[in-house]
Amino acid sequence: MRRGETRGKGRGPGLSAQLRNPPGGRNARIMLLALAVDRTGSGLWAASSVLYLTFVTHLSAGQIGVLLGVAGVAGIAGSPLAGRLAGRFPVRPLLIGCHLLRLVTLGLVLVCTGFDALLPVIAVTYLGDRAAKTLEMLFATRAAGERRAAYQALSRSAANAGYGVGAGIAAIGLAVGTTGAYRVLILGNALSFAVAAVLVWRTGEPAGSAVEVARSRGTVPAARGEGEGERGGVSGRDSVRGGGPWRDRGYLGFVLLDIPMNLDDSILAVGLPLWLVNRTSAPHALVPAFLVINTVLVVVLQLSVSKRAEGPRRAVRAVLLYGVLTLGCCGFLAVATRGGAWAAGAVLLAAALLVTLAELMRSVSSWELAVLLAPQDARAAYLGVAGMSQSIQKSAGPPLLTGVVMAAGPAGWLVLGAAVAGLAVVQSRSCARRLGSFAWIRPDQGAGSGVVHRKAEEGGMAEPWQPTTTRRGAAPGHASPA
């Protein structure tokens, strides 16, 4: 029966049909459109910002590096700040506020000309950007419910499509190359936030957006040794009063290990192009092909990959696959220095394919596990902390690749691949242990019901992602005392 159901799901509606009727209904459909508009602006900014700062504001390369580095560090604070606020206020107005904040700061970028004035403005822009991304995923988690992985896949496809459109529009402006053209591109990014804010305003607040800190007194998932009561559960209030995610060593360990699980982003954007140009004989014209391969495959394959990574067990397996794919990518990069131009080009294209597949695995497993490992009644705060892993990687990943990995030559790539694969094994086992020690609430019960669906036996390994089935009318089994 289960096999038949799996095959049936595999023949579900395609990407365009699911975009028209996504998990979460009308609100989710509007949010996906807002996300695509937002990322179109991001594509404009990514393609034009460095050139704008160079030719319009006349900053030096060193000043631009410092400015973007400080902004990246400021962005790290955006995720936990958004998560903390979302635990106390509705997500929808917070997200509108993030869009309007970036509208204002991008407008200030157009009138600021000095380094000292631009530094705080762009830092706040990056903080708002990371906060908005966290709030978008919190909205998805609440609106899509148990189908959040499918929504995540659709959001990735919509975001990549929007990013590609923005980069394409930017190419036209960059070809013009005038000061006015650069300003129009920055203005287009600012206006994208205004449109996104209007679209979010048209949605309704997703279910489950009540203030989490004061919501439930019932039992929620909690790991043994991390604040559980006598029966293995922890109340929502107790979990927050106990310090929330910042005192949850198990969850902080997950976030810490999730940082190297995001290195695919830096490998694609920094490692592949610089390695091709500086250490291989491959034609430089292949550099744009890396982004094309990534964008097309993410848009086309994200939905089908998400179906194969839904649920805790598959999400844990996806972490292992991420390590294997990253190891393979690094292996190809190591051998790309040998052979002629066409051989090196073929090897680098294979590396781009593998790192894109790794990204597909990570994009589903990272968020799915971040949700599953967080207590329900403190989920916003926990997911805000989880969002820091991407921000930290964006700041630390490029210097790690350029200053350590690439400086060591082909051996550096092999060491990096082996390290990521090894850490993926550690991460998967850690997540499996934490999931196995949870006391789970039945999906059809509210957080305050106190009905435990399954509980790990002392000294054993439970499988909370495989709920106990009962005959119709039969009472589900309750957890036995620890």
Side-chain angles (χ1 to χ4, degrees):
M1 182 68 176
R2 189 169 295 174
R3 290 181 181 175
E5 290 173 355
T6 302
R7 288 195 299 268
K9 290 179 181 178
R11 294 193 296 266
L15 175 61
S16 59
Q18 294 208 41
L19 285 172
R20 291 192 299 269
N21 187 27
R26 173 185 176 274
N27 286 340
R29 183 168 58 252
I30 296 175
M31 184 61 71
L32 287 172
L33 179 58
L35 188 147
V37 171
D38 183 345
R39 298 304 187 272
T40 300
S42 297
L44 292 171
W45 172 261
S48 63
S49 57
V50 172
L51 295 178
Y52 176 87
L53 295 172
T54 300
F55 296 115
V56 178
T57 63
H58 305 291
L59 299 184
S60 67
Q63 288 176 317
I64 294 174
V66 171
L67 189 150
L68 296 180
V70 171
V73 173
I76 295 174
S79 293
L81 177 62
R84 187 171 183 83
L85 290 174
R88 289 160 171 76
F89 305 101
V91 169
R92 178 171 161 269
L94 290 174
L95 183 53
I96 293 173
C98 285
H99 288 319
L100 295 180
L101 173 66
R102 291 181 291 170
L103 170 64
V104 172
T105 57
L106 263 295
L108 291 175
V109 167
L110 290 170
V111 299
C112 294
T113 57
F115 173 80
D116 293 338
L118 285 169
L119 182 63
V121 170
I122 294 183
V124 173
T125 302
Y126 274 57
L127 185 146
D129 184 71
R130 291 307 310 172
K133 286 180 170 62
T134 298
L135 292 170
E136 286 166 352
M137 294 314 302
L138 282 169
F139 184 99
T141 300
R142 292 167 174 175
E146 294 301 315
R147 297 192 62 201
R148 57 182 171 267
Y151 182 94
Q152 165 76 338
L154 293 172
S155 69
R156 291 275 302 168
S157 297
N160 276 270
Y163 194 90
V165 170
I169 296 173
I172 300 173
L174 298 179
V176 175
T178 64
T179 297
Y182 289 133
R183 290 185 179 278
V184 168
L185 293 177
I186 301 300
L187 179 61
N189 185 22
L191 292 178
S192 73
F193 299 133
V195 176
V198 171
L199 289 171
V200 174
W201 177 75
R202 293 184 58 203
T203 67
E205 188 67 26
S209 295
V211 177
E212 292 178 345
V213 173
R215 181 177 60 180
S216 173
R217 300 185 182 184
T219 303
V220 300
R224 274 194 185 84
E226 297 175 15
E228 76 267 17
E230 293 182 0
R231 298 293 179 184
V234 59
S235 72
R237 288 184 175 184
D238 290 343
S239 67
V240 175
R241 289 175 180 172
W246 296 107
R247 294 188 181 180
D248 188 335
R249 288 180 294 178
Y251 199 83
L252 290 178
F254 162 76
V255 175
L256 181 64
L257 288 172
D258 197 45
I259 297 172
M261 300 298 109
N262 281 269
L263 275 172
D264 59 274
D265 179 71
S266 292
I267 292 174
L268 177 70
V270 178
L272 271 167
L274 289 181
W275 191 250
L276 181 149
V277 171
N278 296 319
R279 299 299 293 269
T280 77
S281 58
H284 293 184
L286 281 180
V287 172
F290 299 149
L291 182 59
V292 172
I293 289 173
N294 178 264
T295 301
V296 172
L297 289 181
V298 169
V299 172
V300 173
L301 297 180
Q302 186 71 75
L303 192 60
S304 60
V305 169
S306 72
K307 292 179 180 178
R308 291 167 174 79
E310 280 186 328
R313 181 183 293 278
R314 291 178 177 179
V316 169
R317 288 176 180 170
V319 175
L320 292 174
L321 286 174
Y322 179 90
V324 173
L325 291 167
T326 303
L327 176 59
C329 170
C330 291
F332 278 128
L333 286 168
V335 302
T337 55
R338 302 179 180 181
W342 292 110
V347 170
L348 288 172
L349 288 175
L353 173 63
L354 289 182
V355 78
T356 298
L357 295 176
E359 177 188 343
L360 290 169
M361 293 297 168
R362 181 261 302 169
S363 63
V364 176
S365 64
S366 179
W367 188 260
E368 181 73 2
L369 290 171
V371 172
L372 291 169
L373 296 173
Q376 280 187 332
D377 291 347
R379 185 167 282 171
Y382 272 71
L383 294 184
V385 172
M388 292 176 61
S389 59
Q390 292 186 19
S391 302
I392 294 173
Q393 188 281 141
K394 285 182 179 294
S395 296
L400 170 67
L401 294 183
T402 57
V404 179
V405 174
M406 296 173 63
W413 287 112
L414 294 176
V415 171
L416 177 67
V420 172
L423 290 173
V425 173
V426 175
Q427 178 78 306
S428 64
R429 291 181 177 177
S430 175
C431 291
R433 282 196 300 269
R434 185 174 170 98
L435 289 167
S437 64
F438 279 167
W440 286 91
I441 301 174
R442 285 180 55 194
D444 58 342
Q445 297 291 337
S449 66
V451 179
V452 179
H453 181 63
R454 182 162 180 129
K455 182 175 183 291
E457 295 297 331
E458 193 69 40
M461 176 65 186
E463 298 182 357
W465 49 81
Q466 290 184 339
T468 304
T469 57
T470 59
R471 294 184 302 274
R472 182 174 297 180
H478 292 261
S480 57

